[in-house]
Amino acid sequence: MTGPLRERDGARALLAAETERARSGSGGLVLLRGASGTGRTSVLEAAVRDAADRGLRVLRARCSAEDGGVPFATVLELLGPVPDFPDLTPDGDDRGSSARLWRLLSAYADEGPLLLAVDDVHLADAPSRRWLQEAVRRIDRLPVLLVVSERSQYDIDPGPSGLARSLPPSLVRTHTIEPLGDAAAAELVRAAAPDAGPEWTAECVRAAAGSPLLLHALLDDLGGPHAAGPAPGAVAALPDSCAALYPGSYPAAVAWWLSSAGTATAEVARCLAALEEAWPRPTPETPEAYEEYEAHGTQEPAGRRTGRAASAPAGTDVAGVLAEASGADPARVAGWLTAMTRIGLLRPDSAGRPRFAHRLLRDAVLTGWPTVRREAAHRVAAATMLRRGERVEAVAAHLLRARGVGLPWALRVLREAATVAVHDARPGAAAGYLRRALDEPLSDDRRQQLLTELGSLEYASADGAVAIARLAEAQHLPAAPRDRVRAAVALGTALVGRGEVTTALEVLRRTEGSLDGHPGLTRTVQTATALLADSDLATRQETYRRLCESGVHAPELVGTASRALLVRYEATAGLISAGEAMTRVRALLAQPSDPLAEPFLLGTAAAVAEWADELDEAERLVDRGLAGQHPALLHPMEHALLNTRADIAAARGDVARLIAVRGDGAAVAARAHSGPSNRDAHVLMALVHTGRSEEAARLANAFDLSRAPESWELNRFLYARGVQRLAAGDPAGALHDFLECGRRQSAREVLSPVVTPWRTAVAQCRLALGGGQEALVLATEELRLARVWNTPRTVGRALRVLGTATGGRRGLHLAEEAVETLRDAPADAGMELVEALLAQGRQLLAAGERGRARERLREAADLAERKGGRRLLALAEQALREGGARLPVSGALTGSERRIAELAAAGRTNTEIADLLHLARRTVETHLTSTYRKLGIRRRAELPATLALTRPGPAAPGAPA
């Protein structure tokens, strides 16, 4: 494909001027220099056409490497056959031959002005080059213009000196053909593909890297009869591989460029392309820096990648590593990198590494290079970078692209890189390093450890089936007892996560049976079995029955972690108080425990402490438990500890923190098949509390609970969905969810309201649907169980609902007791206190005590506002209106007052408001003074909440906490 010349006006102007000088009898040399592919030949062809149009006779020659051994081959092609001298150089007389050829040129010149056009003069044979140099010294007296094109490019092996090297500068007019600019290249693309969008055009420009040759070849491939080309206006991307190009003009052009540069340069270019594959994708810092490269690179995507990318430091000696990998002179490699960057074939990334201008160009450079040679380059690069002290992940990135090195350092680097990736929360990257480590020589015990870690990381990367296969393989390899226990716990956790509870428990029982002589490890496996049995009702009951019996008859067989599980079981079964539970848990924490069992103990103790409202202690235990987790091993207590952390945030009313970690809709949809989590339940209730009803409804409907596997987390979500349905005005739907939650919890022998206070929730639904007696029975039972556990939060909640169900003076007394109980709570019971104040206020209104009622309702509204509880704030406002309280309404403000108040509530200063509304500052102050008076407030800080209360809208119905 050819096209019009772009950005070559300077060259054409010079040629036109020199042509006129030749016509006037004063000849000379015009030397067109440039890198391969920049269009020297096209400019020379244009000079030939222009000279012919001006009446000059044109003699042409094109040099080639094949003619380099034939003396005067270029000159003979240029001047034509010499009939008087069939043997041009008898006896090797080059001087005689030169004289005869000069006489021939002079004879041509006598006939009229001449243009001698020689393309690729750097490939000419030596006698022809000498003849041309001598001719330049003499043609200034002849009407002869000599125009030659010469490759001028930095190569690893230096080429011959240029034609003008030995000529006086006064005899030579040199013009360097620069690479094509982006604007000119874009014009060529649009001319060839008028429907191309800006993204597609920009990609073509980058792939051409300033070379008209590469651009025309690429457009040939993309616009031919077998190419789809860009759709009109489409934001399309070029293919990632040259294999998708037909007929392959672009990779052929790149191959020609490599061939013209010489073997050594081609080797360096290919090594650079190979090593670049192991580098992280660049971070754009300038408008022209790799926008599409970032979108279509080959490294692990950031979307999955939550931590920092592995990369060499910005100061990495790329030239030195490249020289080692290619076997070239480091000084020449550094010079080549600089030169290629100057002409646009390479572009530095944000870390200073030189990269090929486009991934397609890099792929074309690698096309046809054997895989064995690529791997060798990566192995050398890895060894060189390790020796120079580069970051471990930068070294490991090259090992990922080379099969087994077979040396101890390679395994060490891959293991260390995996550790770094785990700490950066990139389990996918860590798993990749360990998969590669399996290709190195490994003993059975090392392979078993590696497979256990790899399976754990693959499970964390949502690749459950593969993870289970890895962990199962680890189970069958010989290993030390502790390593077998780690593998069994990890495999059991993965199996339970996939719903295969029976298989998981069988794995643990088999492992327990193989631990004769290791009582501590046996107890650890028993604890893991008890914990993982939670997902199967029958197994759970049998497991805790055996634990209870062992605790009574053979306590020495029950480890500290298992005894902590027994405390948890008795707490949820309504058998012990919070005080007794904490006394027993603290005693267990004070005892020495095996490191393998400690996570079970800490996780269980943290959950009990949270239920007991010892939130600071619970948080310390969670932090300690997570810090003690092996970062690359799957363990059931990690999930449990994260759940307890969410429970603590919910207990503190930290709804903002809960909502912030909920994940996007795609993340929720990805786990919809596995059922909701405890954190999903907390997020759902937080959305309800903050009045985000539409988001809450979407999350509530995101899971098909009929297909979700049995778990306590499902029960927690059922309770949360009931809260959402009741808040949305669907007491019948909420009642169904609360009853189902209660049925499931009772089947698990979870009777205490400490986890899911479903009885009070059902009672509220019954009251809404007219079933007062049933509500009273449920609320009474809830209070009984709450007093067993005996924390202010559980007792206060039960008193509140029982007071509402009871009514009358007795109900008022219970409501007052609920408020006072929650006021004395040592932990932050803010939302529960709002609910209690609201319930008491409504009962006082019903009893005709409007003054006290308004006092309680205003306190509830104030506390709800401080806690971000928009739903409870709306309910308190509604109750205040029903009680006859004078509250601000939106109609009390004029349009101007409302606009100014909204801007002030958003944090604008008076001066900023005046500028925005084109008012005087004094006018803004006057309007705000009137607004404060109408709304009954005194401070600017009260505006946001008050304006929110005055916006019209339906009041939200009640819902349990």
Side-chain angles (χ1 to χ4, degrees), residues 602-746:
L602 293 173
T604 306
V608 173
E610 186 276 320
W611 295 337
D613 283 344
E614 300 288 350
L615 301 186
D616 290 340
E617 184 172 356
E619 194 153 39
R620 286 193 297 271
L621 290 168
V622 167
D623 292 342
R624 182 178 159 194
L626 289 174
Q629 291 282 314
H630 190 298
L633 285 180
L634 186 59
H635 198 286
M637 287 316 297
E638 180 179 13
H639 183 67
L641 287 162
L642 292 174
N643 274 329
T644 301
R645 177 173 281 174
D647 294 343
I648 294 169
R652 286 181 166 149
D654 192 353
V655 293
R657 180 178 179 184
L658 291 168
I659 292 175
V661 298
R662 62 178 162 158
D664 56 18
V668 172
R671 358 179 226 96
H673 70 281
S674 61
S677 69
N678 176 56
R679 277 172 280 180
D680 290 320
H682 282 308
V683 169
L684 179 54
M685 288 189 284
L687 291 172
V688 172
H689 286 316
T690 53
R692 298 158 77 164
S693 55
E694 291 184 3
E695 294 176 70
R698 284 197 296 271
L699 180 56
N701 296 323
F703 300 94
D704 182 0
L705 302 191
S706 65
R707 303 176 61 183
E710 169 65 33
S711 72
W712 68 268
E713 293 185 272
L714 170 61
N715 302 346
R716 180 71 69 89
F717 192 82
L718 275 168
Y719 177 84
R721 193 175 71 173
V723 170
Q724 182 270 329
R725 285 179 166 178
L726 190 56
D730 180 16
L735 178 62
H736 174 273
D737 282 342
F738 292 139
L739 287 173
E740 180 63 15
C741 171
R743 183 188 69 78
R744 289 169 176 266
Q745 291 289 70
S746 298

Side-chain angles (χ1 to χ4, degrees), residues 34 170 325 364 723 788 946:
S170 60
V723 170
V788 172
T946 307

Side-chain angles (χ1 to χ4, degrees), residues 376-435:
H378 283 294
R379 279 193 292 271
V380 173
T384 302
M385 293 172 69
L386 179 66
R387 190 170 62 249
R388 296 183 180 198
E390 302 288 1
R391 289 183 63 249
V392 67
E393 279 200 90
V395 178
H398 292 284
L399 292 177
L400 290 177
R401 296 181 176 274
R403 283 170 291 189
V405 174
L407 296 174
W409 66 264
L411 180 61
R412 175 174 55 81
V413 165
L414 291 164
R415 293 294 300 269
E416 290 178 3
T419 300
V420 172
V422 167
H423 283 296
D424 281 353
R426 291 181 287 118
Y433 295 131
L434 294 188
R435 275 193 293 270

Side-chain angles (χ1 to χ4, degrees), residues 428-504:
Y433 295 131
L434 294 188
R435 275 193 293 270
R436 167 61 183 80
L438 290 175
D439 293 337
E440 298 296 326
L442 295 166
S443 61
D444 283 344
D445 58 337
R446 293 292 295 275
R447 182 171 292 275
Q448 193 269 358
Q449 295 169 2
L450 197 64
L451 285 168
T452 302
E453 293 181 26
L454 176 56
S456 299
L457 291 169
E458 286 174 331
Y459 186 84
S461 304
D463 199 352
V466 173
I468 289 171
R470 301 274 192 202
L471 294 168
E473 183 181 353
Q475 276 288 98
H476 291 93
L477 288 174
R482 299 185 76 83
D483 289 331
R484 293 207 308 273
V485 170
R486 289 189 180 99
V489 170
L491 178 55
T493 304
L495 287 167
V496 168
R498 301 273 293 182
E500 301 177 39
V501 181
T502 304
T503 306

Side-chain angles (χ1 to χ4, degrees), residues 226-243:
H226 299 280
V235 182
L238 298 189
D240 290 327
S241 168
C242 290

Side-chain angles (χ1 to χ4, degrees), residues 449-609:
Q449 295 169 2
L450 197 64
L451 285 168
T452 302
E453 293 181 26
L454 176 56
S456 299
L457 291 169
E458 286 174 331
Y459 186 84
S461 304
D463 199 352
V466 173
I468 289 171
R470 301 274 192 202
L471 294 168
E473 183 181 353
Q475 276 288 98
H476 291 93
L477 288 174
R482 299 185 76 83
D483 289 331
R484 293 207 308 273
V485 170
R486 289 189 180 99
V489 170
L491 178 55
T493 304
L495 287 167
V496 168
R498 301 273 293 182
E500 301 177 39
V501 181
T502 304
T503 306
L505 298 179
E506 179 58 33
V507 166
L508 290 169
R509 290 191 187 104
R510 249 192 344 259
T511 303
E512 181 183 346
S514 68
L515 293 173
D516 290 342
H518 300 279
L521 294 178
T522 300
R523 287 193 290 268
T524 298
V525 175
Q526 289 172 347
T527 303
T529 302
L531 185 69
L532 294 177
D534 263 1
S535 298
D536 183 82
L537 289 181
T539 307
R540 182 181 190 274
Q541 291 171 350
E542 175 61 22
T543 299
Y544 278 103
R545 185 189 63 76
R546 285 193 291 108
L547 270 179
C548 291
E549 289 177 356
S550 297
V552 173
H553 302 295
E556 70 281 357
L557 299 179
V558 181
T560 54
S562 292
R563 280 181 283 184
L565 285 177
L566 282 175
V567 174
R568 190 189 73 164
Y569 169 78
E570 292 174 23
T572 57
L575 301 175
I576 58 175
S577 68
E580 181 183 350
M582 288 307 300
T583 299
R584 290 167 59 183
V585 161
R586 287 169 180 147
L588 292 172
L589 288 168
Q591 297 179 20
S593 64
D594 186 279
L596 284 183
E598 188 174 46
F600 296 101
L601 174 60
L602 293 173
T604 306
V608 173

